[in-house]
Amino acid sequence: MFSLRITFPLLASLAFLLGASAWGSDYKGALYTLSQEFNQAILISALHPNGTAEFVSSFQTGGKGAGARGQDALQSSDSLLVHENLLFAVNSASDELSLFHIDPKEPWNIQQIGNNTWSGGKYPTSIAVSPDSTKACVANAGSQSYIRCFNIRETGLELMSSFRYDLELGQTDPPVGPPKTPSDLSFTADGQILFVTVKGSANASEAPAGRIELFDVSSDSVSHKSTVYAASGPGGLPFSITPIADSAAYLVTDPAGGADIIRIERDGSVSYNTSITIPGQAATCWSAYSPVTDQYFTIDLATAIITPMTINSTTLEATLLPGYNITTSSGNPGSLVDSRIAHFSDQQDYLYSLVAGDQTVRVFSLPAGSQSGIFDLVQTYELGAAYNSTGGAVGTSIEGLAVFVRTWW
Ligand SMILES: *[C@@H]1O[C@H](CO)[C@@H](O)[C@H](O)[C@H]1NC(C)=O
Ligand SMILES: *[C@@H]1O[C@H](CO)[C@@H](O)[C@H](O)[C@H]1NC(C)=O
Ligand SMILES: *[C@@H]1O[C@H](CO)[C@@H](O)[C@H](O)[C@H]1NC(C)=O
Ligand SMILES: *[C@@H]1O[C@H](CO)[C@@H](O)[C@H](O)[C@H]1NC(C)=O
Ligand SMILES: *[C@@H]1O[C@H](CO)[C@@H](O)[C@H](O)[C@H]1NC(C)=O
Ligand SMILES: *[C@@H]1O[C@H](CO)[C@@H](O)[C@H](O)[C@H]1NC(C)=O
Ligand SMILES: *[C@@H]1O[C@H](CO)[C@@H](O)[C@H](O)[C@H]1NC(C)=O
């Protein structure tokens, strides 16, 4: 999963030649977040070998973030995405995408590839990249709620004009959600299917229903295949997508009740479909997987609880483990949003959970053998304050999180 391939050798070697930096070889990786100011910036932090984060710099995307839209401005997952040595970002309010090359040796150094590109619709919120790194697809959430795809070229993103699928959500600019907005999108492991989670009206007797749209992908085309419903039923709000290890199934969070598990076969048919109730949940939206502990983590924006679970890859049966209540380690911070796992070694993962409410990132250690689900908070990383100290302001919202772990240095 973290195999490193230099997609753009020319840029990589240039970055190598120019890579003189005060930031040495002591760091294990980098963490990126997106300020949602109109003057949007990617906030870049370095990761220490013990998992803690330290602010490095910011990079203006030249595009517009969501603006003053509260703590969950994008209501989606994967608005900032690392794929191999590439970093993708949405600029929601300017209907654009930005693409960067990450220097794999010094991942706190990023370099933009091409100019910002029109997202092919209005108000992009989520991005997916094909396993072979040839295509990127985006979900737009505004008045033109289109799924669009791009060929990834050395010069940047090139819109595939032949494909445009309208989610027909009847939205405004900016969109008013969370109901009736796209949440996330992903390719299957073989790259043959693209699928998109779409929140319904949240009312089982009122259209549209929460759903998952499936698309066939070939080397030169994308086309709509089918619409499927997750087990939470028509009132559902399918949200983030996390692949379940060693299976063709996906954990899909669903703030209507907890999460859904859905298995998608190679031909695009659904062979398993169930829902998981997380007791006391209010808004389970984000999720992540730790290969070291073989646990899945769901993040509840409203209760500020992270719930770990194990999922048997054969039976797809889920077992909930005791949740971690963020409020016990601080006053109620509000609005837990994007979360990612960074895989440091066979023995150690870290969970980075962005708290939009207090502009921090909570860092949890996930060492091998920690099976109980009780995990250690190693840092409350004051990201907003660190950015402020450099003269920046994240505004009312910070959303989108991605990590890069160095492999050979
Ligand atoms: C992690 O490492 C950094 C850099 O060495 C150090 O400053 C920090 O105190 C360490 N934090 C913990 C929790 O060990
Ligand atoms: C980027 O935009 C500038 C200004 O519009 C233009 O001159 C330049 O050719 C563009 N570069 C690419 C790679 O499209
Ligand atoms: C759900 O939709 C039905 C049909 O439009 C409506 O009568 C009902 O009041 C709605 N329920 C809620 C909770 O909004
Ligand atoms: C998943 O389960 C729900 C609820 O039982 C059902 O309405 C839906 O049709 C199922 N979807 C698929 C693709 O089997
Ligand atoms: C998964 O379930 C199967 C069938 O019940 C069982 O044989 C297997 O041991 C389970 N795997 C784990 C890791 O618990
Ligand atoms: C989380 O902790 C806070 C503070 O201790 C408490 O008020 C709240 O009820 C807890 N939430 C849950 C769901 O247990
Ligand atoms: C950052 O600065 C802005 C305005 O200068 C302020 O509103 C905000 O509260 C500050 N945030 C933090 C985390 O210090």
Side-chain angles (χ1 to χ4, degrees):
M1 180 167 34
F2 291 91
S3 73
L4 193 139
R5 208 180 76 198
I6 297 175
T7 316
F8 299 101
L10 176 65
L11 277 176
S13 57
L14 266 178
F16 178 77
L17 290 173
L18 301 171
S21 153
W23 292 81
S25 56
D26 298 348
Y27 296 90
K28 187 68 183 167
L31 177 143
Y32 315 94
T33 53
L34 268 182
S35 81
Q36 294 301 333
E37 291 286 273
F38 274 147
N39 186 10
Q40 187 177 49
I42 294 178
L43 311 184
I44 304 170
S45 308
L47 299 177
H48 291 290
N50 65 13
T52 62
E54 182 178 339
F55 189 73
V56 176
S57 64
S58 63
F59 190 106
Q60 306 298 137
T61 61
K64 287 185 179 175
R69 298 247 299 147
Q71 293 172 359
D72 180 19
L74 300 176
Q75 302 169 340
S76 68
S77 190
D78 285 320
S79 47
L80 189 62
L81 180 72
V82 165
H83 182 91
E84 295 183 338
N85 297 345
L86 300 175
L87 176 68
F88 297 79
V90 298
N91 307 313
S92 298
S94 53
D95 312 325
E96 289 172 324
L97 308 175
S98 304
L99 174 62
F100 300 88
H101 176 261
I102 298 168
D103 177 353
K105 189 171 176 250
E106 300 189 332
W108 40 90
N109 290 332
I110 61 172
Q111 187 176 356
Q112 188 158 10
I113 301 171
N115 291 330
N116 291 343
T117 312
W118 177 46
S119 67
K122 286 282 192 184
Y123 209 84
T125 51
S126 302
I127 299 170
V129 180
S130 62
D132 66 1
S133 309
T134 61
K135 285 187 191 62
C137 297
V138 61
N140 287 283
S143 61
Q144 297 173 1
S145 50
Y146 302 151
I147 306 302
R148 302 301 299 260
C149 294
F150 299 79
N151 290 308
I152 303 174
R153 307 282 190 213
E154 295 200 10
T155 48
L157 297 172
E158 179 191 271
L159 183 67
M160 293 173 67
S161 54
S162 59
F163 170 66
R164 189 185 82 182
Y165 183 80
D166 190 350
L167 295 172
E168 295 180 358
L169 296 169
Q171 276 291 358
T172 51
D173 298 313
V176 179
K180 296 194 268 184
T181 56
S183 308
D184 200 1
L185 71 176
S186 179
F187 286 84
T188 51
D190 62 9
Q192 305 285 299
I193 304 273
L194 170 75
F195 61 108
V196 184
T197 49
V198 187
K199 300 176 212 78
S201 66
N203 178 341
S205 46
E206 204 170 76
R211 61 194 193 271
I212 302 177
E213 300 289 358
L214 269 63
F215 301 86
D216 277 320
V217 181
S218 72
S219 60
D220 57 2
S221 72
V222 181
S223 57
H224 186 249
K225 181 179 184 61
S226 60
T227 302
V228 300
Y229 298 92
S232 52
L237 301 160
F239 208 99
S240 70
I241 300 165
T242 296
I244 296 172
D246 305 318
S247 77
Y250 298 85
L251 178 69
V252 176
T253 56
D254 193 327
D260 298 304
I261 292 179
I262 194 154
R263 185 167 59 209
I264 300 172
E265 299 297 331
R266 287 180 74 91
D267 65 0
S269 63
V270 170
S271 57
Y272 186 84
N273 175 23
T274 194
S275 64
I276 301 166
T277 301
I278 299 179
Q281 79 89 38
T284 303
C285 294
W286 286 268
S287 52
Y289 171 67
S290 161
V292 162
T293 65
D294 197 21
Q295 290 167 347
Y296 299 80
F297 298 85
T298 61
I299 286 83
D300 190 324
L301 173 140
T303 65
I305 289 178
I306 300 178
T307 300
M309 65 180 81
T310 56
I311 301 174
N312 183 311
S313 58
T314 310
T315 62
L316 297 180
E317 201 176 326
T319 305
L320 300 188
L321 299 166
Y324 185 95
N325 183 347
I326 296 275
T327 310
T328 58
S329 59
S330 69
N332 188 353
S335 291
L336 268 67
V337 291
D338 308 66
S339 297
R340 300 276 186 193
I341 301 274
H343 186 57
F344 273 38
S345 74
D346 290 349
Q347 298 297 311
Q348 184 68 55
D349 284 343
Y350 289 94
L351 171 66
Y352 296 87
S353 193
L354 179 60
V355 185
D358 64 4
Q359 306 181 344
T360 64
V361 180
R362 305 304 168 97
V363 185
F364 298 94
S365 173
L366 302 171
S370 72
Q371 299 309 323
S372 65
I374 297 163
F375 37 100
D376 290 331
L377 178 73
V378 294
Q379 187 190 21
T380 296
Y381 170 42
E382 306 275 353
L383 174 61
Y387 187 41
N388 265 25
S389 72
T390 68
V394 297
T396 57
S397 170
I398 180 168
E399 205 165 359
L401 184 144
V403 291
F404 182 97
V405 178
R406 299 158 93 194
T407 45
W408 348 302
W409 288 281

